[in-house]
Amino acid sequence: MSFVWIASLLFLTTSSLSYLCFIFFQSHNKDKETILSVNEKALFVTAVFCSLVFTALLYSKIGSHEDVIIAQLLENETPSSENSEINEELIDNMRRSLDKRPQNVFYAVLLANYEKSQGNFDAASEFYDLALLSSPDDPNLLSQYAENLFLANNRSFNEPVNQAIEKAYKADSNQPIILGLMGVRAYLNNDFEEAIFFWQRGLDNTDKNDPYYQSYLDGVRKAEEKILIKQ
């Protein structure tokens, strides 16, 4: 749906309201009357109210100008580091739309993932925090948030990272990202059997075409080598 079409509908609504007001007051000016009867006031207020409600419903249905642009761009593109020209317009419009409606989890997650892909982990955390305000128990969102905290902490574990991992694991114990992180944590603690356990579960819950799949497979092999060395 183009912005021109949206603008035309809104203009039609506003014009109709203005025309109604014009006809209404013109009819009263002919009689030199300045005080409206109770019934006339009620009719006028009702007309104004209905027009405003219609406009509000129309806006909620089609969204803002930024939403229309975003929808058009997302038909063929997603935020990535490959097309900077598309990204700039897409990201800018998502930011502006999110400023108006911060409860839009979809935009918040897209922006968070984009910032994470650019290595801007602090900025990504802000968008994940915003998304979590609306969806605090979403397993996928919790796992992405935990992963971002891990990356922001120079790929190491601290109390906030561990708490985020445990919260995500509690929400969904089969979430591949979290299983992968738990495997890494166990491996760094020299608990190679546990690392294999989590990475194997990660493999069981990950498609073979997923980039994470090869990472978990490599992790299992390295952990197995460490166990052989220890023996």
Side-chain angles (χ1 to χ4, degrees), residues 18-52:
S18 299
Y19 181 73
L20 176 64
C21 293
F22 173 77
I23 296 299
F24 187 83
F25 284 112
Q26 187 181 50
S27 64
H28 280 75
N29 286 335
K30 290 180 180 179
D31 299 326
K32 305 299 182 180
E33 294 180 1
T34 58
I35 301 177
L36 304 179
S37 68
V38 173
N39 289 337
E40 289 170 335
K41 286 181 179 179
L43 177 63
F44 179 69
V45 171
T46 301
V48 172
F49 177 76
C50 290
S51 296
L52 291 175

Side-chain angles (χ1 to χ4, degrees), residues 2-148:
S2 67
F3 177 64
V4 173
W5 188 84
I6 295 171
S8 298
L9 283 177
L10 293 176
F11 177 76
L12 179 62
T13 302
T14 306
S15 298
S16 299
L17 178 58
S18 299
Y19 181 73
L20 176 64
C21 293
F22 173 77
I23 296 299
F24 187 83
F25 284 112
Q26 187 181 50
S27 64
H28 280 75
N29 286 335
K30 290 180 180 179
D31 299 326
K32 305 299 182 180
E33 294 180 1
T34 58
I35 301 177
L36 304 179
S37 68
V38 173
N39 289 337
E40 289 170 335
K41 286 181 179 179
L43 177 63
F44 179 69
V45 171
T46 301
V48 172
F49 177 76
C50 290
S51 296
L52 291 175
V53 169
F54 173 77
T55 302
L57 289 174
L58 179 63
Y59 179 83
S60 66
K61 185 70 175 177
I62 61 180
S64 66
H65 180 200
E66 291 85 2
D67 295 327
V68 176
I69 295 175
I70 292 166
Q72 292 172 342
L73 291 172
L74 285 177
E75 286 182 2
N76 301 312
E77 300 287 344
T78 55
S80 68
S81 58
E82 297 177 359
N83 193 332
S84 59
E85 185 175 341
I86 291 293
N87 279 340
E88 185 176 350
E89 184 178 7
L90 183 58
I91 297 303
D92 181 60
N93 279 284
M94 280 198 291
R95 287 181 186 276
R96 284 189 288 176
S97 180
L98 201 58
D99 285 339
K100 296 177 182 178
R101 291 186 286 182
Q103 71 277 14
N104 193 319
V105 176
F106 178 62
Y107 288 174
V109 173
L110 280 180
L111 287 169
N113 290 338
Y114 172 76
E115 294 294 355
K116 184 168 65 175
S117 73
Q118 301 299 299
N120 303 325
F121 304 120
D122 290 339
S125 288
E126 293 180 8
F127 288 117
Y128 281 129
D129 285 336
L130 188 60
L132 284 168
L133 288 176
S134 298
S135 301
D137 300 316
D138 185 277
N140 292 326
L141 188 52
L142 288 169
S143 66
Q144 292 178 60
Y145 177 69
E147 181 186 45
N148 186 71

Side-chain angles (χ1 to χ4, degrees), residues 150 155-157 181-192 195 199:
F150 170 73
R155 297 178 181 272
S156 60
F157 298 88
L181 288 172
M182 296 180 81
V184 172
R185 185 173 60 184
Y187 184 90
L188 293 177
N189 290 331
N190 295 321
D191 191 343
F192 304 119
W199 280 330

